[in-house]
Amino acid sequence: MLNFECSNPVWGVTTNPWNKEYTCGGSSGGEGAILAADGTALGIGSDVGGSLRIPALYCGMYSLSQA
């Protein structure tokens, strides 16, 4: 929690699709990276602690959440 880097034990650290030197964001960073790289059209998640806002910011996208 509260780590702005996305990684998993199988594939390692997920990088930003625009610049491999940067991270793609927090816990939903993998989904943010695949969305930014046009690998999918839509992602679904929750924004507890910035899980959607931070990857969207880092990958140059928008996120919508219902309050």
Side-chain angles (χ1 to χ4, degrees):
M1 292 194 63
L2 298 177
N3 186 5
F4 299 139
E5 189 172 274
C6 179
S7 67
N8 91 29
V10 175
W11 301 105
V13 176
T14 304
T15 58
N16 189 301
W18 305 112
N19 187 337
K20 302 297 181 203
E21 298 294 319
Y22 294 110
T23 184
C24 60
S27 63
S28 299
E31 189 165 12
I34 198 75
L35 281 163
D38 291 331
T40 187
L42 179 69
I44 299 173
S46 63
D47 192 53
V48 176
S51 292
L52 297 179
R53 289 173 286 164
I54 293 169
L57 173 71
Y58 284 15
C59 294
M61 301 179 299
Y62 295 99
S63 70
L64 301 172
S65 63
Q66 183 177 348

